[in-house]
Every structure is written in structure tokens, then in C-alpha cells.
Amino acid sequence: MTAAEPTERSDTGVGPGTDGAPESGQTAGYRHLLKAVVYRDLLVWVRYPVDAVFGLVIGVFFFGLMFYGGRMVAGQAINDTIEGLIVGYFLWTLSLGAYAGIMNDVQSEASWGTLERHYMTPFGFGPVVLAKSVAIVFRTFCTSAVVLAVMLLMTGRTLDLPVFTVITVGLLAIAGALGLGLAMGGLGVLYKRISNIANFLQFGFIGLISAPSFDIWWTKFLPLAQGSAMLQQAMTGGVRLWEFEPTAIAILVGAAVLYLGLGYLVFARATKRARRLGVLGDY
């Protein structure tokens, strides 16, 4: 190994020893960045198996409380609406995972003192954060799929699962939650302690997911609301993506772009101010 080889690899921004590192002599691209970040996220998750498994258990436990407790109190009423409850809870686990995942990741890196390093990568700070968002969404889909399978086993129900439609609508639906997570992560870097506000927003997701049931026209423009309505139709009624009205798809895509863009804007401005104040790595 020559003395120049380690220097050449370190300039890629991926780093030696990572699964996404390019071969010697090649320049790393965004594909290597995304691969490395996804690999790191999954590696960190599986290396703490107790915490990972307990997170899944907690997700199933709360659904069990709603399902069995609801049957004791409401009886037949809960059985008649169980499919909607399953879909709503599935979307809630997706949105909560995306929201809390990116927010906690940003705040953790700030407390570890590693957040500043993202500014020094050849890719720039924005692409690294977006790659982290993709990794967290991918992991969230995996864990939520496990929770969904257990919910179906517990209830003995079946759902229509058009994979392409569910993934597409689900991704666009949780984009708003991801935007909120980015915004709260940036505010957490700047103001440090915002746990009460962050926890409050988690429960607000329940109202957003339930918004379509109120049949108020303007609620469809809120985060998660339009995605919740379309996911219900897809998973309980078997509606495919191309069967939705163009207006519904336009609202879903527009809301995803709007809230993700606003969240990233707040995140960028908050971290920029934290750098200017010299508190980016303080905790």
C-alpha cells in the first residue's frame, strides 16, 4: 500500500472501511454516499438488538392495548373498524419513525460533536442529511412492515397490499413528517432542549392521520392527511395508484414537497444560525 492511497480514499467523503467506499483510484459519488449511510444506519440499529427488539415490542404492545381494550369496551364496533385501525396505526408508526428518527439522529450527532464534520465532506451538508433521511425512511418501512404483519396475525384480518401503491403513497405521506423532524432537529441543535414540543407533535400525528374522517375539505392539505385517506383506500379497498383521481395525487405530491421543503429550510437556517453563534457542537 502506498502512502498516497489512504489520502485518496479520505477525500471521497465515504471513508475507508465502509461498505459504500469506492475502489482505490475512483472518486466517490452520491451512490457511494447513499450506500454508506444506509449501511451505517442499519449497522447501528442491529448492533443494539435489545433496543431494536424492544422498539418493535412497544409498537405491537400499544396496538394490542387499543385492539383488545377496544373489544372489551366497544365490542362489535371495534371489529367493524379494525381494518381502518390497522392502516392508521401502520401509517402512525411510519410517520413517527421518520419524524423521531431524523430528529434524534441530528441531535445525537450534535451531542457527539460529529455534526460539524458533515460540513467538511466533499458532498456538502445537504446531501448528507438527505441521505440520512433516506436511510431512516428505509429502516422505518422495514420495522413498520414487521409491526403490520404482527397486527394482521393478532386480529386475524387480511388487507389488500398492492406493494407499489402502498410504498409510493406511504413515502409521499410521511414526507411531511420527515420535514417536521428535520425542522425540529434543526431547532434542537440551536435551542438544545425542545423535548416537550417534540413529544407534543408526536401525538398531533394521530389527529392528522384521523383528519379524513372529519370530511373537512381543507384538512387534506395538512401533513399526513391526504396520504392517510389514500392509504386507507389502497389497503382496505384495493385501489391502485393509477386509479386515484389526478387531483388527489396532485395534493399528495404537493403536500409532500411543500412540508419537506419547509422542514429542510427551517433545518438549514437553524443550523446556519447555530454555526454563526458557535453553538453547533455545544450540548
Side-chain angles (χ1 to χ4, degrees):
M1 178 181 294
T2 64
E5 185 176 356
T7 303
E8 187 173 12
R9 283 202 172 187
S10 64
D11 288 341
T12 63
V14 178
T18 62
D19 189 67
E23 296 180 0
S24 178
Q26 294 182 349
T27 302
Y30 291 108
R31 177 175 60 87
H32 299 100
L33 171 67
L34 182 61
K35 184 178 179 181
V37 171
V38 171
Y39 176 77
R40 173 189 176 274
D41 183 78
L42 292 176
L43 188 64
V44 171
W45 187 70
V46 299
R47 282 190 174 178
Y48 296 91
V50 175
D51 187 63
V53 173
F54 190 70
L56 293 173
V57 171
I58 288 295
V60 174
F61 174 75
F62 279 113
F63 176 77
L65 284 180
M66 290 190 297
F67 175 60
Y68 293 111
R71 285 209 306 184
M72 291 178 60
V73 175
Q76 187 59 37
I78 194 68
N79 290 328
D80 293 339
T81 59
I82 189 60
E83 288 85 1
L85 178 62
I86 293 174
V87 176
Y89 193 82
F90 171 66
L91 180 57
W92 185 71
T93 60
L94 278 177
S95 57
L96 188 61
Y99 166 77
I102 190 64
M103 178 181 64
N104 292 336
D105 187 85
V106 170
Q107 292 181 350
S108 295
E109 294 221 24
S111 66
W112 296 335
T114 56
L115 191 63
E116 301 96 323
R117 298 183 183 181
H118 298 323
Y119 286 93
M120 298 183 289
T121 65
F123 299 100
F125 187 58
V128 174
V129 173
L130 292 177
K132 283 178 171 290
S133 301
V134 172
I136 289 169
V137 168
F138 175 75
R139 172 167 51 84
T140 299
F141 258 95
C142 293
T143 55
S144 295
V146 174
V147 174
L148 175 63
V150 175
M151 288 191 295
L152 294 176
L153 289 175
M154 289 174 59
T155 59
R157 302 300 177 94
T158 57
L159 294 174
D160 289 305
L161 294 174
V163 178
F164 176 75
T165 301
V166 171
I167 292 177
T168 303
V169 174
L171 283 173
L172 292 171
I174 65 174
L178 188 63
L180 289 173
L182 283 170
M184 296 306 295
L187 293 176
V189 171
L190 180 60
Y191 297 112
K192 309 309 176 186
R193 291 183 178 270
I194 57 168
S195 57
N196 289 331
I197 301 175
N199 293 333
F200 174 77
L201 287 178
Q202 293 181 13
F203 292 102
F205 289 164
I206 299 175
L208 293 172
I209 293 172
S210 305
S213 62
F214 298 115
D215 197 23
I216 303 174
W217 68 270
W218 55 265
T219 58
K220 65 180 65 177
F221 298 101
L222 298 174
L224 295 173
Q226 181 68 10
S228 175
M230 295 176 66
L231 206 60
Q232 289 281 354
Q233 296 178 54
M235 297 179 70
T236 61
V239 180
R240 270 38 178 187
L241 183 64
W242 51 88
E243 296 175 343
F244 286 106
E245 294 182 0
T247 304
I249 297 177
I251 293 174
L252 178 67
V253 175
V257 173
L258 173 64
Y259 292 110
L260 183 59
L262 287 176
Y264 183 78
L265 179 62
V266 173
F267 173 80
R269 288 183 175 267
T271 52
K272 182 179 180 180
R273 178 170 174 76
R275 289 178 65 196
R276 189 167 60 248
L277 296 175
V279 298
L280 187 65
D282 293 347
Y283 192 75

